[in-house]
């Protein structure tokens, strides 16, 4: 948001802007199309039932609990993700690339694995109590859910903030320091305004994720708003499910509006030069903190799987692991990331540069799919696919579309904050040198926002690889991925058989992160 | 910043070519189970059964199954059928029972499924009532007892299971346990020690049956008392609950026999035992079963497959491999549970399990929900 001008509804008159507007409108329309089904289903509920359902959710107190969960998780994620981004992106932390990967990896661990591992590891009957011989406390209830969701979603804040720090011109900070500003002051006045949209973009994703998550609260035996959605789903009351999803969306709309206010003001900078902050002796506590976090988020589940694997000698008798599972997962995730990035760039660019009502509306519209539980998007696309597009149902393109609907905002948010950081004068300069609008976009803007775009694609990749509800619903029969195999093992109570695919999921995603981060570094250094 | 950045194109190429390479390598393959043990096919005693595989038409072609059952319970028999009939293939879409039910409703005539395989008769009865299924052939209707199939054959049971009382054998003396489901809501001895899982199809069927067998007032009283007086612990997953019983977090749980049996199978020393109530909804005999979809592209193949599941070999599989009850007369039950005859399940026609609005209302009123 530019502070000077209020947003206006202006219809552009040049080809470039009209083209951009139409493309963005089409993308927004495509990703909110499942909502048509949601509203149509919800409209089947008669008024009396609707009121009953609403009062029920009030008496259960699940809306305030969901909001409290969301707020707590969001604040904690910023407290963890922000400093980690600074540590790995702006300091001389030893092995910073390694720590970047370990700090980002929790994102690939599905909540039904993470939460399950925590429930199994802690508590008086937990594996850790057995292993260590001392009583470790139970992780459950509200704070258990806050802890676990935070540990597996803070990477949103970490990755968005890190991308912003990397593309920020840190020589401004040096300049401020030469002008006798303290480190804190330089951070507050130079760095913070530049990375604030990125932090807000990451925090928004965390908030919406926490709001729409079902798996973790279920494991922690915490009744939240999504519990009500799944409850009605279990009864096959699809129209109640839809109505509750719309209630959830209204909460999400408030969150989106808040983020739209704080996340826009920005001081543009340029490429990422400038000195790195020297940690000195602080490098050790920093390293220990990172190692502890990696232990909690990554080692705990791996150890739990390892224990199961050694305990159950019959592994391999049931679901045998096949490389195809990993290949299918990688293929789907890469395709979803690619499509999401292609769709995110115009929407993010338009939203960051135009400032009009339409561009902002299109950008906000992409978040809708993220704020609704996956089963709702999945079942909406089942309806559309089977009844309106039988040729596409059930096919891989439709499944990839479902991923894009769910995860596009992850790429949009981070790309938008990257565009906001680019000084508009660069593009103007290119145009005075007779570059076309598209030419200046491609040759000036695109290279500058690459870290953001790559990080956005990475986020979509990592979350797609762990996506379960829409995958189960829309996968062509016979197509199994790492998560569906983990789900099978979980369903059949053969947890040991989840161990290998879960380890492969972590390793494959870790390697993919390595590739993503290399792309980002190539540009920056 | 360099004026001609090589990176954007390189990045795009790397990402694009990466996904293309992976794409060409990623062919569709079925779930990688090891080769199942098909010995049960030869071991089945075909002399007392209505029919055996050899009496039936050969299976030929591709059958698409939507499964709400878990893979371990049905994949082996489908694999063995594929082995038995070289021209027969099965493609299974796996999912939770509720998911498949919702999906079949949304797909309507556009469904790919020939056969819906459900772990719970209420999903089958609901789909049948809504017109999404078609009748199975008369010879199937003739051999499956009327209580556990649709009167017109719009769905049929394939195997049985029973609601049970799970208890921790270290903490609970079986003599303490009642054979009356209402005692669990009334008796102080169980207060604070008992759990159940209210979101399973099996539990909802149990409440529905209680409603039909014992009336609304009794049912409401039971739910209210379980919550208010007995402080029932509510679990969201059957395996978590059985685990909690085994760990002693909770001493007694009302659930399916299946989960406890599974824990014992994994580790025979697990301190979990089973008891059954008598002649009330607490010992409801419920079934897993199948329905041929109304839109089935290959209804005759689906029908013939159903007969194979009900034949001696199929029933033998459910009993021997799954530890379930047979649903056809003349099949011997072997297993750790009481014999079907010794089991005192109430007489209850499972086709009644269609409208759950009142069940939902009662559970919501007293907040017996997760």
């Amino acid at each position: 948001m530019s502070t000077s001008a209020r947003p206006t509804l202006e219809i552009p008159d040049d080809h470039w802007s009209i083209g951009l507007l139409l493309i963005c409108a089409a993308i927004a329309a495509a990703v909110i199309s499942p909502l048509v089904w949601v509203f149509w289903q919800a409209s089947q509920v008669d008024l009396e039932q609707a009121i009953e359902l609403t009062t029920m959710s009030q008496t259960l107190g699940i809306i305030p609990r969901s909001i409290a969960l969301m707020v707590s998780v969001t604040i904690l994620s910023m407290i963890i993700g922000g400093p980690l981004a600074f540590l790995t992106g702006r300091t001389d932390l030893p092995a910073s690339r390694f720590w970047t990967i370990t700090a980002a990896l929790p994102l690939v661990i599905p909540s039904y694995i993470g939460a399950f591992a925590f429930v199994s590891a802690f508590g008086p009957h937990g594996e850790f109590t057995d292993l260590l011989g001392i009583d470790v406390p139970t992780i459950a209830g509200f704070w258990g859910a806050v802890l676990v969701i935070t540990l597996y979603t803070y990477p949103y804040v970490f990755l968005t903030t890190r991308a912003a720090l990397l593309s920020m011109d840190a020589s401004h900070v040096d300049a401020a320091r030469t002008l006798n500003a303290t480190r804190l002051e330089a951070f507050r006045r130079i760095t913070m305004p530049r990375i604030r949209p990125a932090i807000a973009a990451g925090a928004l994703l965390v908030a919406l994720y926490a709001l729409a998550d079902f798996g973790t609260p279920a494991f922690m035996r915490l009744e939240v708003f999504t519990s009500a959605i799944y409850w009605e789903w279990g009864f096959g009351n699809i129209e109640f499910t839809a109505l509750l999803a719309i209630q959830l969306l209204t909460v999400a709309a408030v969150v989106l509006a808040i983020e739209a206010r704080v996340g826009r003001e920005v001081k543009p900078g340029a490429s990422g030069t400038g000195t790195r902050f020297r940690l000195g002796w602080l490098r050790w506590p920093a390293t220990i903190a990172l190692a502890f976090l990696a232990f909690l988020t990554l080692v705990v589940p791996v150890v739990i799987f390892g224990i199961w694997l050694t305990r159950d000698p019959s592994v391999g008798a049931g679901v045998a692991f096949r490389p195809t599972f990993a290949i299918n997962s990688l293929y789907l995730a890469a395709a979803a990331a690619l499509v999401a990035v292609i769709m995110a760039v115009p929407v993010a660019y338009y939203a960051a540069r135009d400032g009009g009502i339409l561009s902002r509306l299109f950008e906000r519209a992409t978040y809708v799919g993220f704020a609704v539980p996956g089963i709702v998007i999945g079942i909406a696309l089942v309806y559309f696919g089977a009844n309106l597009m039988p040729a596409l149902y059930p096919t891989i393109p439709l499944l990839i579309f479902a991923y894009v609907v769910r995860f596009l905002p992850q790429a949009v948010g981070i790309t938008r904050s990257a565009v906001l950081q680019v000084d508009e004068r660069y593009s103007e300069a290119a145009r005075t040198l007779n570059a076309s609008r598209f030419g200046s976009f491609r040759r000036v803007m695109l290279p500058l926002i690459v870290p953001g775009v790559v990080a956005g694609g990475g986020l979509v990749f990592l979350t797609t690889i762990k996506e379960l509800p829409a995958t189960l619903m829309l996968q062509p029969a016979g197509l199994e991925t790492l998560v569906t195999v983990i789900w099978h093992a979980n369903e059949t109570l053969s947890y040991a058989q989840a161990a290998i695919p879960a380890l492969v999921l972590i390793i494959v995603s870790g390697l993919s992160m390595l590739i993503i981060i290399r792309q980002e570094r190539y540009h920056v250094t | 910043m360099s004026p001609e950045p090589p990176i954007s194109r390189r990045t795009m190429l790397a990402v694009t070519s990466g996904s293309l390479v992976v794409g060409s390598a990623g062919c569709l393959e079925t779930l990688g189970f090891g080769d199942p043990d098909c010995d049960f096919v030869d071991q089945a005693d075909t002399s007392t059964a209505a029919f055996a595989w050899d009496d039936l038409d050969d299976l030929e072609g591709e059958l698409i199954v939507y499964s709400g059952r878990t893979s371990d319970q049905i994949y082996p028999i489908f694999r063995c059928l594929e082995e038995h009939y070289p021209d027969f293939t099965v493609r299974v879409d796996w999912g939770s029972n509720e998911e498949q039910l919702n999906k079949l409703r949304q797909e309507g005539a556009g469904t790919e499924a020939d056969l819906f395989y459900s772990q719970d008769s209420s999903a089958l009865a609901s789909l049948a009532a809504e017109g999404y299924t078609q009748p199975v052939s008369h010879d199937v209707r003739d051999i499956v007892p009327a209580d556990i199939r649709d009167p017109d054959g719009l769905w049929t049971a394939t195997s049985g299971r029973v609601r049970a009382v799970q208890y921790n054998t270290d903490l609970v003396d079986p003599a303490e346990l009642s054979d009356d489901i209402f005692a669990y809501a009334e008796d102080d001895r169980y207060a604070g020690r008992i759990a159940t899982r209210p979101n399973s199809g099996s539990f909802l069927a149990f409440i529905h049956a209680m409603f039909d067998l014992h009336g609304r007032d009794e049912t409401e009283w039971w739910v209210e008392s379980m919550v208010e007086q007995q402080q029932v612990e509510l679990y969201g997953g059957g395996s978590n609950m059985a685990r909690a019983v085994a760990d002693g977090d909770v001493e007694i749980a009302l659930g399916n026999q299946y989960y406890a049996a599974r824990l014992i199978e994994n580790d025979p020393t697990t301190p979990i035992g089973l008891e059954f109530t008598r002649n009330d909804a607490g010992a409801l005999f419920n079934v897993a079963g199948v329905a041929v979809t109304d839109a089935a592209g290959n209804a005759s193949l689906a029908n013939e497959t159903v007969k194979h599941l009900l034949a001696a070999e199929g029933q033998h599989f459910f009993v021997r491999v799954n530890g379930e009850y047979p649903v056809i007369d003349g099949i011997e039950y072997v297993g750790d549970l009481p014999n079907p005859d010794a089991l005192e399940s109430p007489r209850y026609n499972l086709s009644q399990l269609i409208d759950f609005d009142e069940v939902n209302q009662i559970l919501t009123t007293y907040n017996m929900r997760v």
Side-chain angles (χ1 to χ4, degrees):
Chain A
M1 180 178 71
S2 73
T3 40
S4 51
R6 294 194 64 76
T8 50
L9 183 60
E10 272 176 32
I11 303 301
D13 49 6
D14 61 304
H15 290 307
W16 162 261
S17 302
I18 292 172
L20 196 57
L21 181 134
L22 290 178
I23 289 171
C24 294
I27 292 170
V31 295
I32 62 168
S33 61
L35 269 200
V36 175
W37 177 91
V38 176
F39 277 95
W40 170 58
Q41 284 296 327
S43 72
Q44 313 283 312
V45 183
D46 63 51
L47 192 63
E48 198 182 322
Q49 284 177 311
I51 292 168
E52 205 174 299
L53 201 64
T54 308
T55 42
M56 179 276 300
S57 60
Q58 277 169 0
T59 47
L60 293 176
I62 47 182
I63 290 183
R65 197 175 303 140
S66 274
I67 292 173
L69 182 72
M70 174 184 78
V71 171
S72 312
V73 166
T74 308
I75 292 171
L76 268 176
S77 292
M78 288 193 283
I79 291 173
I80 297 176
L84 283 194
F86 185 78
L87 270 179
T88 60
R90 272 277 156 241
T91 70
D92 60 348
L93 181 81
S96 71
R97 193 177 290 179
F98 172 78
W99 293 120
T100 301
I101 292 170
T102 63
L105 262 187
L107 204 58
V108 306
I109 298 185
S111 58
Y112 48 89
I113 290 183
F116 189 60
F118 272 80
V119 170
S120 312
F122 294 88
H125 303 288
E127 303 286 359
F128 282 5
T129 303
D130 291 353
L131 215 60
L132 307 173
I134 48 164
D135 264 5
V136 275
T138 305
I139 291 186
F142 180 82
W143 291 108
V146 168
L147 174 74
V148 173
I149 301 177
T150 301
L151 287 179
Y152 291 101
T153 53
Y154 81 82
Y156 284 130
V157 178
F158 168 70
L159 285 170
T160 49
T161 310
R162 187 172 178 278
L165 283 169
L166 288 182
S167 47
M168 187 188 98
D169 188 349
S171 57
H172 291 296
V173 180
D174 296 341
R177 298 274 288 133
T178 57
L179 296 170
N180 277 340
T182 63
R183 282 203 171 121
L184 193 65
E185 202 178 345
F187 179 80
R188 195 173 58 77
R189 292 184 52 188
I190 307 292
T191 308
M192 198 54 197
R194 284 171 175 76
I195 63 171
R196 196 166 58 193
I199 295 176
L204 175 64
L205 293 173
V206 171
L208 296 180
Y209 184 100
L211 197 60
D213 189 23
F214 171 70
T216 308
F219 270 112
M220 298 297 160
R221 300 180 55 205
L222 182 75
E223 201 181 352
V224 289
F225 198 75
T226 48
S227 316
I229 292 181
Y230 271 78
W231 178 261
E232 295 300 339
W233 169 258
F235 276 93
N237 292 336
I238 208 78
E239 61 289 350
F240 289 175
T241 306
L243 187 63
L244 289 167
I246 291 170
Q247 291 192 17
L248 192 67
L249 267 180
T250 55
V251 179
V254 175
V255 178
L256 281 165
I258 294 171
E259 196 266 354
R261 287 187 153 269
V262 297
R264 303 228 164 205
E265 267 176 77
V266 66
K267 301 228 167 52
S271 62
T273 52
T275 34
R276 290 180 164 259
F277 183 84
R278 288 211 185 79
L279 283 175
W281 64 270
L282 277 172
R283 69 175 62 182
W284 301 118
T287 303
I288 289 167
L290 278 158
F292 178 68
L293 195 64
F295 170 80
L296 270 186
T297 54
L298 305 174
V299 179
V300 166
V302 168
V303 165
I304 294 296
F305 292 135
I307 292 174
W308 291 334
L309 207 52
T310 53
R311 191 178 294 160
D312 186 351
S314 66
V315 171
V319 192
F321 180 76
R322 291 191 185 180
T324 345
F325 303 153
I327 293 168
N328 286 342
S329 283
L330 280 172
Y331 166 55
L332 290 171
L338 188 66
V339 175
V341 160
I342 290 170
M343 288 167 77
V345 168
V347 174
Y349 174 77
Y350 191 43
R353 278 291 175 259
D354 180 80
I357 282 175
L358 280 179
S359 68
R360 293 170 63 187
L361 208 59
F362 296 152
E363 186 252 345
R364 295 281 108 173
T366 63
Y367 280 84
V368 163
F370 192 69
V372 178
I375 49 162
V376 176
I377 299 296
I379 198 74
L381 291 179
V382 163
Y383 177 82
F384 282 134
N387 295 285
L388 307 177
M389 303 175 284
L392 270 181
Y393 179 81
T395 59
I396 290 177
L398 189 67
L399 179 57
I400 290 171
F401 178 66
Y403 292 141
V404 171
V405 169
R406 293 206 64 195
F407 301 135
L408 180 60
Q410 301 181 353
V412 168
I414 203 166
T415 306
R416 191 199 70 205
S417 40
V419 173
L420 284 172
Q421 282 190 318
V422 176
D423 197 325
E424 217 155 346
R425 285 168 301 189
Y426 287 123
S427 299
E428 282 161 15
R431 297 207 51 213
T432 57
L433 297 170
N434 270 342
S436 67
R437 296 284 293 260
F438 181 70
S440 94
F441 172 80
R442 189 176 68 82
R443 294 178 59 183
V444 179
M445 177 62 79
L446 205 52
L448 287 169
I449 62 173
V450 157
V453 174
V454 169
L459 281 178
V460 176
F461 179 90
L462 295 176
T463 43
T464 299
I465 216 168
K466 73 169 178 185
E467 205 281 342
L468 183 66
T471 310
L472 275 179
M473 229 175 289
L474 293 165
Q475 71 188 141
L479 177 89
E480 301 294 337
T481 66
L482 291 172
V483 287
T484 63
V485 173
I486 293 169
W487 175 82
H488 276 288
N490 202 17
E491 284 287 293
T492 57
L493 316 185
S494 19
Y495 302 119
Q497 282 161 8
I500 294 175
L503 290 178
V504 173
L505 182 75
I506 294 173
I507 292 166
V508 163
S509 312
L511 293 176
S512 312
M513 277 300 301
L514 200 64
I515 295 170
I516 293 165
I517 284 168
R518 281 171 67 122
Q519 302 297 337
E520 184 181 75
R521 285 285 161 135
Y522 186 93
H523 171 71
V524 170
T525 49
Chain B
M1 190 191 77
S2 55
E4 176 60 57
I7 178 55
S8 59
R9 203 169 301 138
R10 268 173 88 147
T11 307
M12 287 311 270
L13 278 178
V15 173
T16 324
S17 61
S19 66
L20 286 179
V21 169
V22 174
S24 60
C27 59
L28 307 187
E29 225 178 304
T30 47
L31 194 57
F33 287 94
D35 277 329
D37 182 357
C38 295
D39 289 348
F40 68 86
V41 177
D42 299 324
Q43 288 163 358
D45 177 6
T46 56
S47 59
T48 53
F51 37 70
W53 286 5
D54 284 346
D55 305 332
L56 300 169
D57 291 345
D58 285 359
L59 301 180
E60 246 184 86
E62 187 184 60
L63 183 76
I64 300 181
V65 179
Y66 277 16
S67 172
R69 300 201 77 186
T70 55
S71 47
D72 57 334
Q73 291 175 313
I74 60 166
Y75 193 76
I77 187 155
F78 282 132
R79 282 284 293 141
C80 293
L81 279 169
E82 282 181 336
E83 210 163 272
H84 200 76
Y85 299 109
D87 297 327
F88 177 58
T89 50
V90 183
R91 266 206 299 146
V92 187
D93 178 283
W94 306 99
S96 71
N97 212 45
E98 308 86 74
E99 176 199 320
Q100 302 294 32
L101 176 62
N102 286 325
K103 197 168 142 172
L104 282 161
R105 281 177 173 152
Q106 292 303 317
E107 289 176 340
T111 191
E112 266 202 314
D114 299 307
L115 193 70
F116 174 39
Y117 206 139
S118 173
Q119 63 173 347
D120 179 51
S121 52
S122 57
L124 294 163
S126 302
L127 269 190
E130 291 158 27
Y132 292 106
T133 69
Q134 55 174 297
V136 287
S137 61
H138 274 283
D139 37 355
V140 167
R141 275 178 260 174
D142 292 342
I143 59 167
V144 178
D147 273 1
I148 53 173
R149 64 170 168 83
D150 180 81
D152 301 319
L154 292 169
W155 63 270
T156 175
T158 53
S159 57
R161 69 233 333 247
V162 66
R163 294 278 304 174
V165 181
Q166 308 167 0
Y167 65 98
N168 183 301
T169 50
D170 292 340
L171 303 171
V172 180
D173 175 1
E176 267 190 277
L177 297 171
S178 172
D179 60 1
D180 174 7
I181 192 67
F182 291 97
Y184 291 95
E186 191 165 27
D187 197 326
D188 292 346
R189 281 187 300 173
Y190 306 121
R193 300 163 71 194
I194 192 162
T196 195
R197 176 197 169 194
N199 64 348
S200 72
S202 153
F203 177 84
L204 301 177
F206 152 65
I207 295 293
H208 200 301
M210 184 185 276
F211 195 103
D212 296 336
L213 292 166
H214 312 281
R216 183 184 177 118
D217 291 347
E218 288 281 281
T219 309
E220 234 175 298
W221 172 84
W222 188 87
V223 171
E224 182 182 11
S225 184
M226 284 297 282
V227 174
E228 307 286 334
Q229 185 188 314
Q230 308 295 68
Q231 302 285 317
V232 64
E233 284 269 343
L234 300 177
Y235 284 82
S239 52
N240 294 357
M241 185 168 75
R243 187 77 253 170
V245 173
D247 285 343
D249 290 342
V250 64
E251 296 176 37
I252 303 165
L254 306 177
N256 259 337
Q257 113 257 343
Y258 168 74
Y259 294 104
R262 194 61 191 249
L263 287 179
I264 294 169
E265 191 186 305
N266 285 348
D267 177 4
T269 64
T270 311
I272 189 166
L274 290 171
E275 280 296 332
F276 301 87
T277 62
R278 285 166 200 274
N279 287 316
D280 60 33
L284 182 69
F285 186 84
N286 201 343
V287 297
V290 289
V292 180
T293 62
D294 195 46
N298 205 342
S300 61
L301 179 64
N303 221 327
E304 207 56 30
T305 307
V306 174
K307 286 191 215 170
H308 279 78
L309 299 175
L310 295 168
E313 293 88 343
Q315 292 296 298
H316 192 74
F317 167 80
F318 294 124
V319 173
R320 288 281 174 157
V321 184
N322 283 359
E324 296 177 287
Y325 288 118
V327 294
I328 303 290
D329 284 341
I331 309 285
E332 191 199 358
Y333 173 74
V334 283
D336 303 329
L337 298 173
N339 235 13
D341 310 330
L343 208 64
E344 292 181 51
S345 289
R347 282 192 65 83
Y348 183 74
N349 191 320
L350 296 178
S351 297
Q352 302 169 75
L353 296 173
I354 40 177
D355 185 354
F356 284 81
D357 284 351
E358 287 186 284
V359 171
N360 190 353
Q361 212 178 43
I362 293 172
L363 295 176
T364 298
T365 303
Y366 300 104
N367 201 11
M368 188 184 251
R369 44 187 278 165
V370 287

